[in-house]
Amino acid sequence: MELRRVAAYGVLWESGRVLVSAEHLARGVWGVPGGVVAHAEHPEHTVVREVARQTGLTVTVGRLRAAIADVVTYPEDDVALHTDRLAFELSVRGGTPHDAVDGRTDQARWVTPAEAARLPMAPFSAELLGLPVTPLPAGTHRPREPFPPTHPDRRLRFGAYGLVTDPAGRVLLTQIAEGYPGAGRWHLPGGGTDHGEQPTTGLLRELVEEGGQLGRVVELLGVDNLHNPAAFGPEGRPLDWHGVRVIYRVLVDVPTDAVVTESAGGSTARAGWFTPAQTADLPLTGIAASAIGQLGR
């Protein structure tokens, strides 16, 4: 069985030291503080909640630093768990680090990079901090509680989207097909990532399928959160959708005519290149309007 979740973390530096806490995987394993995003929760809110719970600090969330995915298998449960992990920069608003009170986290501490390198570190956190990544001991990934049953009417969708431009400054947009939420509106190229797929890989795949373009990712812009408790799509009944969508800046060095190459019946009706001025007259999705507004930054 393939399961998916999204987790959000915070990276907090102060005077050359970084804040780490004992990871949820097992006692004695360390990492940057964070946790699993709840249904309908914005990942930024997850970070604030989990950092406060694990460390006692109140924080302000800054830019999104990283978005990666990993898969851990649990043969005894016949589960392959895909986790999309987001890491944000943080700044302290108040509070004092303390041991968590519910027993899930042993303690929180400030460490130098050299001290962090001597701790048993969760792979994602080690990579994020530029430390050597070493495998954790066997059994470390064993969850503390059974996997919860899936909700029949809830859906989680993690997607990667692109603010795609060419050397002339045109923007590539895709139009949502009939039968899908937002039909007729112009949207950013991209879509849901596959199980086991990295966000950038999924985005570049979708760019070929939806627009017939070869691009290169040049910048991670941020994350968008969408909760629609009654989204009506091809399933034929309203579903409680939670979408977490990372947005990248993508450059197509050699643009061609925009052509939808995915199989018929997909969510994309057509694609096109537009100047920034032309986009002002298009019915845009919220995420597309927000991203296009960053072109001049």
Side-chain angles (χ1 to χ4, degrees):
M1 178 171 59
E2 295 181 345
L3 297 180
R4 293 193 68 160
R5 66 181 183 181
V6 179
Y9 304 84
V11 181
L12 182 57
W13 289 92
E14 184 176 280
S15 302
R17 300 180 302 166
V18 66
L19 184 67
V20 295
S21 68
E23 261 281 352
H24 300 166
L25 297 173
R27 296 192 182 281
V29 177
W30 294 79
V32 293
V36 176
V37 176
H39 182 73
E41 184 179 41
H42 195 295
E44 293 182 2
H45 299 164
T46 304
V47 173
V48 173
R49 169 175 56 80
E50 283 294 315
V51 170
R53 185 185 68 80
Q54 294 179 22
T55 74
L57 294 176
T58 303
V59 296
T60 298
V61 180
R63 74 179 182 94
L64 180 64
R65 281 190 49 177
I68 65 171
D70 58 63
V71 178
V72 177
T73 58
Y74 302 89
E76 61 274 25
D77 298 301
D78 190 29
V79 167
L81 178 62
H82 173 124
T83 304
D84 293 291
R85 303 184 190 273
L86 307 177
F88 297 87
E89 291 182 351
L90 303 180
S91 58
V92 177
R93 292 174 53 194
T96 302
H98 64 67
D99 289 358
V101 296
D102 63 3
R104 291 182 61 198
T105 302
D106 294 323
Q107 62 188 112
R109 65 174 72 161
W110 295 96
V111 295
T112 65
E115 292 169 335
R118 293 193 291 269
L119 294 173
M121 188 72 61
F124 166 72
S125 294
E127 181 178 354
L128 189 63
L129 299 177
L131 302 175
V133 177
T134 58
L136 294 173
T140 300
H141 292 279
R142 182 67 191 154
R144 295 177 180 271
E145 300 175 357
F147 292 103
T150 57
H151 194 290
D153 293 320
R154 281 184 177 177
R155 298 290 186 274
L156 170 65
R157 188 172 189 259
F158 184 89
Y161 292 82
L163 175 58
V164 181
T165 58
D166 69 1
R170 296 183 303 170
V171 181
L172 181 70
L173 296 173
T174 60
Q175 190 176 46
I176 300 174
E178 291 297 324
Y180 290 85
R185 292 188 175 273
W186 289 89
H187 196 31
L188 296 179
T193 59
D194 294 336
H195 194 275
E197 188 174 47
Q198 294 295 334
T200 52
T201 304
L203 171 56
L204 295 180
R205 170 182 54 79
E206 290 278 352
L207 183 57
V208 172
E209 295 174 354
E210 295 184 343
Q213 308 296 312
L214 297 176
R216 56 185 175 93
V217 174
V218 296
E219 185 183 5
L220 177 57
L221 294 177
V223 60
D224 174 83
N225 191 73
L226 175 67
H227 177 223
N228 188 339
F232 196 91
E235 296 84 5
R237 72 181 195 279
L239 295 175
D240 186 355
W241 275 94
H242 179 202
V244 178
R245 307 178 292 186
V246 288
I247 307 164
Y248 296 87
R249 186 185 292 273
V250 178
L251 181 61
V252 174
D253 295 296
V254 184
T256 59
D257 290 340
V259 177
V260 179
T261 62
E262 63 183 344
S263 59
S267 60
T268 303
R270 56 183 174 141
W273 288 103
F274 301 92
T275 66
Q278 289 172 330
T279 65
D281 297 324
L282 296 175
L284 300 174
T285 61
I287 188 175
S290 176
I292 291 171
Q294 299 187 54
L295 276 174
R297 74 180 181 92

